[in-house]
Amino acid sequence: MLPTEHQVLRTDASGMPLEWIGLEQAVRLYYCEQVAYACGRPLYRVRGGINARSGRQSLVEVNSIIATHGTRARQGDNYVPPLNNPTLFRRDAHLCLYCGRHFPARELSRDHVTPVSQQGQDVWKNVVTACKRCNNHKADRTPEQAGMQLLAIPFTPTHAEYIYLKGRRVLADQMEFLQAHFPRTSPLRGRLEGDALS
């Protein structure tokens, strides 16, 4: 079994990804009989107390992916996940989309392709990851005005892509499950399969 820092992917009964949960919440779902089925590899084996009648110790095996009863209303084509820097930086693979270099999160910033001062909005399709040096050089200009080239077109992640981007230490079986829900034309799918910025 793996150390407890791994998250469990929770889906609805139809298999639509919902969220990442911790071990304690997963065990609670099993105990409350909310788990419809499990898939993926076993992550944890949690032992409980001894049953007074049977003399057996309770045991819960928690898999990497669990489906819970019920279905959630489908996220329509108009779904827009909340925008935040950690998820944005993951979308862009921690690359500055101007100079193309990798940076740790503390050296990255959110750049508005069309600056807010020029009526640009703070939305997924208008923001990219930029190192602080490139962001300062670009200043309140568009890439064209600054003579800078954008290396990739910004995009809004789907719900499944957003769930992936929010995950920590995503396991191979969880990744395979989530990728099955990515659009075929997803830039993120292309990047993960080809390991390059699409």
Side-chain angles (χ1 to χ4, degrees):
M1 299 297 146
L2 298 169
T4 59
E5 73 262 8
H6 287 283
Q7 297 174 297
V8 175
L9 177 61
R10 183 173 83 90
T11 75
D12 65 14
S14 72
M16 287 303 295
L18 296 176
E19 64 181 344
W20 296 103
I21 61 174
L23 172 61
E24 189 175 304
Q25 190 176 357
V27 170
R28 189 176 305 119
L29 289 168
Y30 275 96
Y31 177 78
C32 294
E33 299 181 355
Q34 292 296 307
V35 177
Y37 59 91
C39 52
R41 65 186 277 191
L43 280 184
Y44 306 112
R45 181 174 284 160
V46 181
R47 297 187 189 282
I50 307 281
N51 185 303
R53 288 187 186 168
S54 69
R56 291 189 195 141
Q57 185 176 27
S58 63
L59 173 69
V60 176
E61 284 197 355
V62 179
N63 284 46
S64 61
I65 304 165
I66 60 173
T68 52
H69 291 290
T71 55
R72 192 173 188 184
R74 288 246 184 245
Q75 301 289 352
D77 292 337
N78 297 329
Y79 171 77
V80 177
L83 175 60
N84 57 67
N85 283 353
T87 311
L88 171 67
F89 298 163
R90 263 197 95 187
R91 181 199 73 178
D92 295 342
H94 284 82
L95 284 174
C96 171
L97 292 192
Y98 294 108
C99 69
R101 293 177 40 215
H102 279 95
F103 291 91
R106 68 182 177 280
E107 295 179 32
L108 293 171
S109 61
R110 180 188 309 185
D111 177 64
H112 295 85
V113 179
T114 300
V116 175
S117 64
Q118 297 184 37
Q119 282 71 50
Q121 296 183 313
D122 191 35
V123 295
W124 285 100
K125 289 187 174 184
N126 188 49
V127 294
V128 295
T129 300
C131 69
K132 292 178 181 177
R133 183 175 176 270
C134 286
N135 202 347
N136 288 336
H137 175 74
K138 181 177 168 283
D140 257 359
R141 301 176 290 179
T142 66
E144 295 80 17
Q145 292 166 342
M148 299 170 77
Q149 184 165 349
L150 195 56
L151 300 177
I153 298 170
F155 67 95
T156 303
T158 65
H159 182 69
E161 290 171 324
Y162 184 71
I163 297 292
Y164 161 72
L165 293 170
K166 293 290 288 178
R168 299 184 325 262
R169 305 181 104 192
V170 178
L171 300 170
D173 57 349
Q174 295 168 331
M175 186 68 248
E176 184 179 342
F177 186 90
L178 285 168
Q179 270 190 293
H181 293 276
F182 290 5
R184 293 202 188 285
T185 58
S186 165
L188 192 55
R189 175 190 289 275
R191 185 176 318 141
L192 291 168
E193 290 173 353
D195 209 27
L197 198 57
S198 300

